[in-house]
Amino acid sequence: MKITQIRNATIVIHYENEVILVDPMLAPKGAIPPLKYLTTTRTRNPTAPLPDNTDKLLDSVTACLITHCQKGHFDHLDRAAAKWLRQHQIPVYCSDKDARFLARKGLNVQSLSTEQTNSFLHGTINLIPCVHGEGFIGRLMEHGHGFLIKQANEPSLYITGDTLLTDDVRHCITSEQPEWIVLPAGGAQFDVGGHIIMGIEEVLEVGTLSKGNIVANHLEALDHCPVTRNQLMDSVKEQLLTDKVHIPLDGATILAS
């Protein structure tokens, strides 16, 4: 298994015979309005361009996973990505609650149950609930699902999706001990309300809960994600977790053996 960071939450999982695109945001830099307005300098999104190897990576994709997509979550499925998926008729796997929404976009939808283990490619996939913010802001958000993926002769993989570090997430990590975890680390926050995804402290806590490797993303691509790669790396070094926490640059590939 290999994991390639494209941008923000968009990654590609390479297996021997399958290549899975996750949460695609394919718009060019600056094509989408800001998410923060109470600031002296508004910045359009995405704040970073796609890496140069994006087209080559997309050419090999055989399936897509989407953690959440309703209520305007363009950073996990934007118009450019929906158009690309539709044109190539890539099988799009999502929770059963998102299936009708995505089917209306003309996508080749493959619905996954949130209540039981699903067959997936050459193994299984389980959906783990996300909490994408709490309180007032949480009531406005779309709370999706992470994916616990097990494939024959491959390391287990938990893609948490956009979530805070909840009891469900902790339980999945401690009980399943996935060999690889991909989690958001940007500490996203709107003009009002608290954090809506994990940040530095949560990454460090996962580092103590998990016996496996961690890939931190959702960094340096949206205007409401203040955590930088350098800030996160400094904290990881302080906690002596550099052997297990990976912070890839856009376009970089990690061999997850």
Side-chain angles (χ1 to χ4, degrees):
M1 186 175 74
K2 295 186 292 184
I3 300 171
T4 298
Q5 171 67 26
I6 294 185
R7 182 181 59 186
N8 196 55
T10 307
I11 60 174
V12 172
I13 310 300
H14 314 254
Y15 292 117
E16 183 176 1
N17 297 312
E18 302 284 352
V19 179
I20 305 169
L21 176 66
V22 182
D23 284 347
M25 176 176 64
L26 302 180
K29 179 181 178 181
I32 300 169
L35 291 166
K36 298 197 76 168
Y37 287 88
L38 301 181
T39 174
T40 56
T41 55
R42 294 181 184 175
T43 305
R44 292 181 65 85
N45 293 296
T47 61
L50 287 165
D52 292 340
N53 57 344
T54 300
D55 287 343
K56 182 177 180 181
L57 290 165
L58 292 177
D59 284 343
S60 63
V61 167
T62 59
C64 177
L65 280 170
I66 296 179
T67 60
H68 64 297
C69 55
Q70 300 190 51
K71 296 186 179 180
H73 287 263
F74 66 83
D75 57 320
H76 295 260
L77 179 69
D78 62 6
R79 290 181 180 178
K83 179 180 179 180
W84 184 87
L85 291 168
R86 189 164 50 245
Q87 288 176 337
H88 293 83
Q89 279 298 290
I90 300 294
V92 176
Y93 293 84
C94 64
S95 71
D96 45 20
K97 77 170 190 173
D98 286 335
R100 181 177 298 180
F101 177 84
L102 292 176
R104 289 200 296 265
K105 293 181 178 292
L107 303 185
N108 179 10
V109 174
Q110 311 294 316
S111 180
L112 298 170
S113 172
T114 60
E115 302 297 328
Q116 61 188 22
T117 298
N118 300 270
S119 296
F120 179 66
L121 305 178
H122 305 292
T124 62
I125 188 168
N126 286 82
L127 276 61
I128 312 299
C130 295
V131 174
H132 200 355
E134 297 178 318
F136 165 75
I137 200 68
R139 290 193 290 273
L140 301 176
M141 301 296 288
E142 175 68 14
H143 304 281
H145 290 83
F147 300 115
L148 177 63
I149 304 171
K150 298 179 181 179
Q151 296 291 291
N153 304 314
E154 298 283 3
S156 55
L157 171 65
Y158 176 28
I159 302 169
T160 70
D162 275 12
T163 185
L164 301 172
L165 184 52
T166 66
D167 288 343
D168 283 327
V169 175
R170 289 188 180 92
H171 177 73
C172 179
I173 293 169
T174 56
S175 63
E176 296 287 344
Q177 284 297 335
E179 292 163 87
W180 286 84
I181 301 171
V182 178
L183 55 76
Q189 191 171 17
F190 295 113
D191 292 317
V192 296
H195 290 137
I196 57 174
I197 60 173
M198 293 183 245
I200 292 175
E201 291 184 4
E202 290 78 13
V203 174
L204 299 179
E205 183 175 344
V206 172
T208 65
L209 294 173
S210 173
K211 299 176 184 177
N213 288 272
I214 298 160
V215 178
N217 68 1
H218 219 303
L219 296 162
E220 299 179 353
L222 297 174
D223 66 321
H224 70 326
C225 291
V227 177
T228 68
R229 286 180 170 95
N230 286 339
Q231 289 171 339
L232 180 57
M233 180 54 70
D234 287 344
S235 296
V236 167
K237 288 179 179 177
E238 289 177 6
Q239 298 300 314
L240 305 178
L241 293 171
T242 53
D243 60 330
K244 66 192 306 185
V245 177
H246 308 264
I247 311 170
L249 297 174
D250 293 346
T253 298
I254 296 169
L255 179 59
S257 57

